[in-house]
Amino acid sequence: MTADNEIEIKEAFQRAQKGHNNKAKLVASLNSRYNKLEDKTIFHDEFVHYLKYAMIVYKREPTVENVMEFVARFATSFQSPPKTEDDEDRPQTEEEEDEEDDTEDDHPFLSFLFNFLLESHKASSHAVRFRVCQLINKLLGSMAENAQIDDDLFDRIHQAMLVRVTDKFPNVRIQAALAMTRLQQPKDPDCPTINAYMLILENDSNAEVRRAVLSCIAMSPCTLPKVLKRTRDIKENVRKLAYQVLADKVHIKALTIAQRVVLLQQGLHDTSEAVREVLCSRLLPAWMQRLEGNFTELLHRLDVENCAQTALDTLQAIFRGMPTEELLQNRAQLDNRNLVPVDSLSCENVLYWRALCEFIKGKGDDGEEMLERVLPDAATYADYLYGYLKAVPLLSEEQRADFNQLELVMTKEFISQQLIRLIGCLDTNEEGSRKRVLAVLQEMLALPQTPSSLVSLLTEKLLTLLPDDHRRIQTVAEIISDVREPIMEASKPVDQNMTRRQQVQLAEVKVRILEAKQTLEDCIAAQDFSRAGELKDSITELENHRNQIHQEITESSQPADKEIRVEKSDPETLLRCLIMCAELLKQMSIKTRISPTISALMSSLVLPSIANAHPAVRNMAVVCLGTCTLHSKELAKTHMVLLLQIAQLDEVKIRISALRAVIDLLLLFGFQLLSESAATQAASQAQSPERQEEDAPSAEEKGDAAEDTAQSILVMLSELLDSEVSDLRTEAAEGLAKLMYTGRISSAKMLSRLVLLWVHQEVVEEGFLPTVRTLMNAPATSPLAEVDINNVVELLVELTRPSALIKPSANTEDVCVHDYLAVRMCGEMLQDPTAPEVRLYAKTLSNLELSRGDTVRKDLQTLLQQLVQVVKDRVCHRALEKMVLQLADAGEQAELLSGSALQPLDVNADEAATDDPCKSAKRAKRGQRKVGTAKGGRRPSRRAESSEESDGENVPESLPVVRPSRRAKIAALEKTKLDLNTLINQEANVS
């Protein structure tokens, strides 16, 4: 050292390698030396000379990392520190203003270092490219927030890093992506950095590169959809980081309702526990913090009416992370009866109430005391529920046309559903409370004003409160009887003719009475008393007759006090009864046999409703019939043919219900169900009545009837696989898959049909390369190492073959999946032409079924000609040349054969000249290694090795790592650490 506070450059680099040294003192000492030099050029050259020793090391050695950190600190130490508030308020002197003007320009050393790095970023050595990008990243990251650099330098850095983010080594791409963090311009819709980031997120094959971009990309309306898509990434650590980024950088208000719901649905049900943990511990707390802990506001932003289950799962996840005392603090909406006032009920607070009660109920005995603080007793709640349900209006068809009224009723029905579900949290152990709840449920089911949407839920809660199937059957049967045949007062029909005659008679009698009274007065005046006596007796008789007629009229107009049951057959009533019957049959144990009460319901309600004109009634009747036949094999044999007919002839929704019933019967009873007496009936009913008379099956043919019927069922299911209705295709495919999985049927042809129907060729094409990479990079200890990769590739190619489609395209020039697959494989080979999988890809290209479109053909020709020039393996070279000739027409073939278009070009000549000959020989051998069945350990490709070596600098770790002891760590470091001093001293001795 020249002085106490100065240090030589060589010594500074030597001391910087050791982590325990104080880098701040080293920087200060070297800075002092630099400032005293008049000619900075010598310092610059010597500094870069020693820096190159670290830049040629690709491995993340601690010594090299320390040097990189030291260089970044030293280079940025010449910048003035950021101003504080006191400095901004204090007036500046002229000298300070001059110094500030000088520091606005880039410091000579910093500019020199940037220029050196930018000139080196195209080096053939991937280690140098990696260290260049890493150092640029550290330099830009170490600068102050208000730091400024020259526009030309900014553009040069920008362009260099845009080139390096496409480097074939993932580590280089990671550092280049991180280096561009401060070069983003989110307000510019055409920002090249952001466009490059979005392209990397969509297309980069390395997960660590995608994670690096996720960690530094700026949020904007353009980038948000790309980040949201990474929550569905194939790699767990990418999904995890995507949720972390959304929690830290994105406000809940910036997301649409659909985006919030999808995020929660995927995150809460992710296969990775780490992703679920990030959602619960980072994203949800961040949302709650931005909403000031308001649960109602959170639910309002999730649209709970359309995604109630997602909202419930979200609340449950939040509750699990809250202390018990804090849970009970959010019950302020309850009154002194532990009820939400009816006027205050909303979709959000009733769902929150339900979620809170169910969460506390799930704690078992520990939550009993807490539950009493958020729920009333069962009897009180039953009265509360009854009062609200009775107030739900039943709209007519005209009222349903009014959207406002319909929306209001739908809201009330949603609230009613949540209140009904809260019955499961009540304490119904006490007999009196349970009876009151049962009475309310029975009364609500019997009321004609109860909406049909609540009938199933009311029936379910009713059945859960009844102890055994026998009582359940009797109770539901009584309710169905009351709904189907309500009690009404009987009245005799009024005979209008008789009433009219009685009125005429009454009028005649009144007239005769008036005439007799007038005559009586005249006789009294004439003192004819004998005549007056006769008239008086006549008047009395007439008045008695008048009273008798009046009584008859009164009696005929008054109804009788007799009550009778009147059967109702309107669609609404039938549908309500069938819903209750279906829920009863679902809740019954499969071992419970068909009782006389169930048989009566089948004959009087279910079977007649199958012929009903209303589709909803028919569909529910089919559901009831299918569920009931599961309890009785005899009943199943009787009605199997009916279900098969419905599965082929009715509306789509009803056909699906019948198809599900048929599949369930075959799964439960097997095809032996058709081998008994009903088989003959099924075979005969499949024919017309005329054919039955002419071709009645003989006794010898009856044994084959069951087999014919089974074959007919399979033919029907196979035909449904070609149906134009997607729901029918899905149901038939699912049913056949279940039958195969359970061993009820075994058919190679049917399995092939299912595979072809299952295959979504675009999805298989997207998964082709990741599958090949996984198999190629599988370690020797993995079971995947035993998989024959050639067989896998052949299967994927066959599944994506255009001619294998059920309805292939008639236009042979349309772009097909194999075209995209060929482009993907060519791009993969161009990234690393020496990788061992290149031979596999070259062989696969010749097996593809390409379209005849000119655009695709020319693009593939261009890619293949590039491959011919860079691929060195002879086998691959011949295969690629053959592909080029196949794609070319006659004229082009002659030109290619006569010219030098297919001659390989040695693009790696410069790199080979500087590399070690031994390494070049090894690389050539590795490029020619045969790709076949991996019976032993398989060395990963160069590209795979670089992928495995990729680090995640400035990217959060995805999985916790068990930390070794300090002694083991020191021993490992001493054994593997690199010392740059040896290289530096060797160079000094030579010189």
Side-chain angles (χ1 to χ4, degrees), residues 403-435:
F403 180 77
N404 292 329
Q405 291 191 25
L406 180 61
E407 185 179 15
L408 178 63
V409 171
M410 291 177 65
T411 300
K412 289 185 174 293
E413 289 183 4
F414 178 83
I415 295 174
S416 302
Q417 291 174 358
Q418 308 311 313
L419 293 177
I420 294 171
R421 292 189 181 278
L422 266 173
I423 293 176
C425 298
L426 297 174
D427 183 9
T428 55
N429 293 326
E430 185 183 352
E431 185 67 22
S433 299
R434 185 169 65 255
K435 286 184 177 180

CSV table of all heavy atoms in Angstrom, one decimal, residues 403-435:
chain,number,residue,atom,x,y,z
A,403,PHE,N,-87.2,-7.8,-14.0
A,403,PHE,CA,-85.9,-8.2,-13.5
A,403,PHE,C,-85.7,-7.8,-12.0
A,403,PHE,O,-85.1,-8.5,-11.3
A,403,PHE,CB,-84.8,-7.6,-14.4
A,403,PHE,CG,-83.4,-7.9,-14.0
A,403,PHE,CD1,-82.9,-9.2,-14.3
A,403,PHE,CD2,-82.6,-7.0,-13.3
A,403,PHE,CE1,-81.6,-9.5,-13.9
A,403,PHE,CE2,-81.4,-7.4,-12.9
A,403,PHE,CZ,-80.9,-8.6,-13.2
A,404,ASN,N,-86.1,-6.6,-11.6
A,404,ASN,CA,-85.9,-6.1,-10.3
A,404,ASN,C,-86.6,-7.0,-9.3
A,404,ASN,O,-86.0,-7.4,-8.2
A,404,ASN,CB,-86.4,-4.7,-10.1
A,404,ASN,CG,-85.6,-3.7,-11.0
A,404,ASN,OD1,-84.4,-3.9,-11.2
A,404,ASN,ND2,-86.2,-2.7,-11.5
A,405,GLN,N,-87.8,-7.4,-9.5
A,405,GLN,CA,-88.5,-8.3,-8.6
A,405,GLN,C,-87.9,-9.6,-8.6
A,405,GLN,O,-87.7,-10.3,-7.5
A,405,GLN,CB,-90.0,-8.4,-9.0
A,405,GLN,CG,-90.8,-7.1,-8.8
A,405,GLN,CD,-92.3,-7.4,-9.0
A,405,GLN,OE1,-92.8,-8.5,-8.8
A,405,GLN,NE2,-93.0,-6.3,-9.3
A,406,LEU,N,-87.5,-10.1,-9.8
A,406,LEU,CA,-86.8,-11.4,-9.8
A,406,LEU,C,-85.5,-11.4,-9.1
A,406,LEU,O,-85.2,-12.4,-8.3
A,406,LEU,CB,-86.6,-11.8,-11.3
A,406,LEU,CG,-85.9,-13.2,-11.5
A,406,LEU,CD1,-86.8,-14.3,-11.0
A,406,LEU,CD2,-85.7,-13.4,-13.0
A,407,GLU,N,-84.7,-10.4,-9.2
A,407,GLU,CA,-83.4,-10.3,-8.5
A,407,GLU,C,-83.7,-10.2,-7.0
A,407,GLU,O,-82.9,-10.9,-6.2
A,407,GLU,CB,-82.7,-9.0,-8.9
A,407,GLU,CG,-81.3,-8.9,-8.3
A,407,GLU,CD,-80.6,-7.7,-8.8
A,407,GLU,OE1,-81.2,-6.8,-9.4
A,407,GLU,OE2,-79.3,-7.6,-8.6
A,408,LEU,N,-84.7,-9.5,-6.5
A,408,LEU,CA,-85.0,-9.4,-5.1
A,408,LEU,C,-85.4,-10.8,-4.5
A,408,LEU,O,-84.9,-11.2,-3.5
A,408,LEU,CB,-86.1,-8.4,-4.9
A,408,LEU,CG,-86.6,-8.2,-3.4
A,408,LEU,CD1,-85.4,-7.7,-2.5
A,408,LEU,CD2,-87.8,-7.3,-3.3
A,409,VAL,N,-86.2,-11.5,-5.3
A,409,VAL,CA,-86.6,-12.9,-4.8
A,409,VAL,C,-85.4,-13.8,-4.8
A,409,VAL,O,-85.3,-14.6,-3.9
A,409,VAL,CB,-87.8,-13.4,-5.7
A,409,VAL,CG1,-88.1,-14.8,-5.4
A,409,VAL,CG2,-89.0,-12.5,-5.5
A,410,MET,N,-84.6,-13.7,-5.8
A,410,MET,CA,-83.4,-14.6,-5.9
A,410,MET,C,-82.5,-14.3,-4.7
A,410,MET,O,-81.9,-15.3,-4.1
A,410,MET,CB,-82.7,-14.4,-7.2
A,410,MET,CG,-83.4,-15.0,-8.4
A,410,MET,SD,-82.5,-14.6,-9.9
A,410,MET,CE,-81.1,-15.6,-9.7
A,411,THR,N,-82.3,-13.1,-4.3
A,411,THR,CA,-81.5,-12.8,-3.1
A,411,THR,C,-82.1,-13.3,-1.9
A,411,THR,O,-81.4,-13.9,-1.0
A,411,THR,CB,-81.4,-11.2,-3.0
A,411,THR,OG1,-80.8,-10.7,-4.2
A,411,THR,CG2,-80.6,-10.9,-1.8
A,412,LYS,N,-83.5,-13.2,-1.7
A,412,LYS,CA,-84.1,-13.8,-0.6
A,412,LYS,C,-84.0,-15.3,-0.5
A,412,LYS,O,-83.8,-15.9,0.6
A,412,LYS,CB,-85.6,-13.4,-0.5
A,412,LYS,CG,-85.8,-11.9,-0.2
A,412,LYS,CD,-87.3,-11.6,-0.1
A,412,LYS,CE,-87.5,-10.1,0.4
A,412,LYS,NZ,-87.0,-9.9,1.8
A,413,GLU,N,-84.1,-15.9,-1.7
A,413,GLU,CA,-83.9,-17.4,-1.7
A,413,GLU,C,-82.5,-17.8,-1.3
A,413,GLU,O,-82.3,-18.8,-0.6
A,413,GLU,CB,-84.3,-17.9,-3.1
A,413,GLU,CG,-85.7,-17.8,-3.4
A,413,GLU,CD,-86.0,-18.4,-4.8
A,413,GLU,OE1,-85.1,-18.9,-5.5
A,413,GLU,OE2,-87.2,-18.4,-5.2
A,414,PHE,N,-81.5,-17.0,-1.8
A,414,PHE,CA,-80.1,-17.3,-1.4
A,414,PHE,C,-80.0,-17.2,0.2
A,414,PHE,O,-79.3,-18.1,0.8
A,414,PHE,CB,-79.2,-16.4,-2.1
A,414,PHE,CG,-77.7,-16.6,-1.7
A,414,PHE,CD1,-77.0,-17.6,-2.3
A,414,PHE,CD2,-77.1,-15.8,-0.7
A,414,PHE,CE1,-75.6,-17.8,-1.9
A,414,PHE,CE2,-75.8,-16.0,-0.4
A,414,PHE,CZ,-75.0,-17.0,-1.0
A,415,ILE,N,-80.5,-16.1,0.7
A,415,ILE,CA,-80.4,-16.0,2.2
A,415,ILE,C,-81.1,-17.1,2.9
A,415,ILE,O,-80.6,-17.7,3.9
A,415,ILE,CB,-81.0,-14.6,2.6
A,415,ILE,CG1,-80.2,-13.5,2.0
A,415,ILE,CG2,-81.1,-14.5,4.1
A,415,ILE,CD1,-80.8,-12.1,2.2
A,416,SER,N,-82.3,-17.5,2.3
A,416,SER,CA,-83.0,-18.6,2.9
A,416,SER,C,-82.2,-19.9,2.9
A,416,SER,O,-82.2,-20.7,3.9
A,416,SER,CB,-84.4,-18.8,2.2
A,416,SER,OG,-85.1,-17.7,2.2
A,417,GLN,N,-81.5,-20.2,1.8
A,417,GLN,CA,-80.7,-21.4,1.7
A,417,GLN,C,-79.6,-21.4,2.8
A,417,GLN,O,-79.3,-22.4,3.4
A,417,GLN,CB,-80.0,-21.5,0.3
A,417,GLN,CG,-81.0,-21.7,-0.8
A,417,GLN,CD,-80.4,-21.7,-2.1
A,417,GLN,OE1,-79.2,-21.3,-2.3
A,417,GLN,NE2,-81.1,-21.9,-3.2
A,418,GLN,N,-79.0,-20.2,3.0
A,418,GLN,CA,-77.9,-20.2,4.0
A,418,GLN,C,-78.5,-20.4,5.4
A,418,GLN,O,-77.9,-21.0,6.3
A,418,GLN,CB,-77.2,-18.9,4.0
A,418,GLN,CG,-76.6,-18.5,2.6
A,418,GLN,CD,-75.9,-19.7,1.9
A,418,GLN,OE1,-75.0,-20.3,2.6
A,418,GLN,NE2,-76.2,-19.9,0.7
A,419,LEU,N,-79.7,-19.8,5.7
A,419,LEU,CA,-80.3,-20.0,7.0
A,419,LEU,C,-80.7,-21.4,7.2
A,419,LEU,O,-80.6,-21.9,8.3
A,419,LEU,CB,-81.5,-19.1,7.1
A,419,LEU,CG,-81.3,-17.6,7.1
A,419,LEU,CD1,-82.6,-16.8,7.1
A,419,LEU,CD2,-80.4,-17.2,8.3
A,420,ILE,N,-81.2,-22.1,6.2
A,420,ILE,CA,-81.5,-23.5,6.3
A,420,ILE,C,-80.3,-24.3,6.6
A,420,ILE,O,-80.3,-25.3,7.4
A,420,ILE,CB,-82.2,-24.0,5.0
A,420,ILE,CG1,-83.6,-23.3,4.8
A,420,ILE,CG2,-82.5,-25.5,5.1
A,420,ILE,CD1,-84.3,-23.5,3.5
A,421,ARG,N,-79.2,-24.0,5.9
A,421,ARG,CA,-78.0,-24.8,6.2
A,421,ARG,C,-77.4,-24.6,7.6
A,421,ARG,O,-76.7,-25.5,8.1
A,421,ARG,CB,-76.9,-24.4,5.2
A,421,ARG,CG,-77.2,-24.8,3.7
A,421,ARG,CD,-76.1,-24.6,2.8
A,421,ARG,NE,-76.4,-25.0,1.4
A,421,ARG,CZ,-76.4,-26.2,1.0
A,421,ARG,NH1,-76.0,-27.2,1.8
A,421,ARG,NH2,-76.7,-26.5,-0.3
A,422,LEU,N,-77.8,-23.5,8.2
A,422,LEU,CA,-77.3,-23.2,9.6
A,422,LEU,C,-78.0,-24.2,10.6
A,422,LEU,O,-77.5,-24.3,11.7
A,422,LEU,CB,-77.6,-21.8,10.0
A,422,LEU,CG,-76.5,-20.8,9.8
A,422,LEU,CD1,-77.0,-19.4,10.1
A,422,LEU,CD2,-75.3,-21.1,10.7
A,423,ILE,N,-79.0,-24.9,10.1
A,423,ILE,CA,-79.7,-25.9,11.0
A,423,ILE,C,-78.7,-26.9,11.4
A,423,ILE,O,-78.8,-27.5,12.6
A,423,ILE,CB,-80.9,-26.5,10.3
A,423,ILE,CG1,-82.0,-25.4,10.1
A,423,ILE,CG2,-81.5,-27.7,11.1
A,423,ILE,CD1,-83.2,-25.9,9.3
A,424,GLY,N,-77.7,-27.3,10.6
A,424,GLY,CA,-76.8,-28.3,10.9
A,424,GLY,C,-75.9,-27.9,12.0
A,424,GLY,O,-75.2,-28.8,12.6
A,425,CYS,N,-75.8,-26.6,12.4
A,425,CYS,CA,-75.0,-26.2,13.5
A,425,CYS,C,-75.7,-26.1,14.8
A,425,CYS,O,-75.1,-25.9,15.9
A,425,CYS,CB,-74.4,-24.8,13.2
A,425,CYS,SG,-73.3,-24.8,11.8
A,426,LEU,N,-77.1,-26.3,14.8
A,426,LEU,CA,-77.9,-26.2,16.0
A,426,LEU,C,-77.7,-27.4,16.9
A,426,LEU,O,-77.4,-28.5,16.4
A,426,LEU,CB,-79.3,-26.0,15.7
A,426,LEU,CG,-79.7,-24.8,14.9
A,426,LEU,CD1,-81.2,-24.9,14.5
A,426,LEU,CD2,-79.5,-23.5,15.7
A,427,ASP,N,-77.9,-27.2,18.2
A,427,ASP,CA,-77.9,-28.3,19.2
A,427,ASP,C,-79.3,-28.8,19.3
A,427,ASP,O,-80.2,-28.3,19.9
A,427,ASP,CB,-77.4,-27.7,20.5
A,427,ASP,CG,-77.3,-28.8,21.6
A,427,ASP,OD1,-77.4,-30.0,21.2
A,427,ASP,OD2,-77.1,-28.5,22.7
A,428,THR,N,-79.5,-30.0,18.6
A,428,THR,CA,-80.8,-30.6,18.6
A,428,THR,C,-80.9,-31.8,19.4
A,428,THR,O,-81.8,-32.7,19.2
A,428,THR,CB,-81.2,-30.9,17.1
A,428,THR,OG1,-80.2,-31.8,16.5
A,428,THR,CG2,-81.4,-29.7,16.3
A,429,ASN,N,-80.0,-31.9,20.4
A,429,ASN,CA,-80.1,-33.1,21.3
A,429,ASN,C,-81.3,-33.1,22.2
A,429,ASN,O,-81.8,-34.1,22.6
A,429,ASN,CB,-78.8,-33.2,22.1
A,429,ASN,CG,-77.5,-33.4,21.3
A,429,ASN,OD1,-77.6,-34.1,20.3
A,429,ASN,ND2,-76.4,-32.8,21.6
A,430,GLU,N,-81.7,-31.9,22.6
A,430,GLU,CA,-82.9,-31.8,23.4
A,430,GLU,C,-84.2,-32.1,22.6
A,430,GLU,O,-84.4,-31.6,21.4
A,430,GLU,CB,-83.0,-30.4,24.0
A,430,GLU,CG,-84.2,-30.2,25.0
A,430,GLU,CD,-84.3,-28.8,25.5
A,430,GLU,OE1,-83.4,-28.0,25.2
A,430,GLU,OE2,-85.3,-28.5,26.1
A,431,GLU,N,-85.0,-33.0,23.1
A,431,GLU,CA,-86.2,-33.5,22.4
A,431,GLU,C,-87.1,-32.4,22.0
A,431,GLU,O,-87.6,-32.3,20.9
A,431,GLU,CB,-86.9,-34.5,23.2
A,431,GLU,CG,-88.1,-35.2,22.5
A,431,GLU,CD,-87.7,-36.1,21.4
A,431,GLU,OE1,-86.5,-36.5,21.4
A,431,GLU,OE2,-88.5,-36.3,20.5
A,432,GLY,N,-87.4,-31.4,22.9
A,432,GLY,CA,-88.3,-30.4,22.6
A,432,GLY,C,-87.8,-29.5,21.5
A,432,GLY,O,-88.6,-29.1,20.6
A,433,SER,N,-86.6,-29.1,21.5
A,433,SER,CA,-86.0,-28.3,20.4
A,433,SER,C,-86.0,-29.0,19.1
A,433,SER,O,-86.4,-28.4,18.1
A,433,SER,CB,-84.6,-27.9,20.8
A,433,SER,OG,-84.6,-27.1,22.0
A,434,ARG,N,-85.7,-30.3,19.1
A,434,ARG,CA,-85.7,-31.0,17.9
A,434,ARG,C,-87.1,-31.1,17.3
A,434,ARG,O,-87.3,-31.0,16.1
A,434,ARG,CB,-85.1,-32.4,18.1
A,434,ARG,CG,-85.0,-33.2,16.8
A,434,ARG,CD,-84.2,-34.5,16.9
A,434,ARG,NE,-84.8,-35.5,17.8
A,434,ARG,CZ,-84.4,-35.7,19.0
A,434,ARG,NH1,-83.4,-35.1,19.5
A,434,ARG,NH2,-85.0,-36.6,19.8
A,435,LYS,N,-88.1,-31.4,18.1
A,435,LYS,CA,-89.5,-31.5,17.6
A,435,LYS,C,-89.9,-30.1,17.0
A,435,LYS,O,-90.6,-30.1,16.0
A,435,LYS,CB,-90.4,-31.9,18.8
A,435,LYS,CG,-90.3,-33.3,19.2
A,435,LYS,CD,-91.3,-33.7,20.2
A,435,LYS,CE,-91.3,-35.1,20.6
A,435,LYS,NZ,-92.3,-35.5,21.6
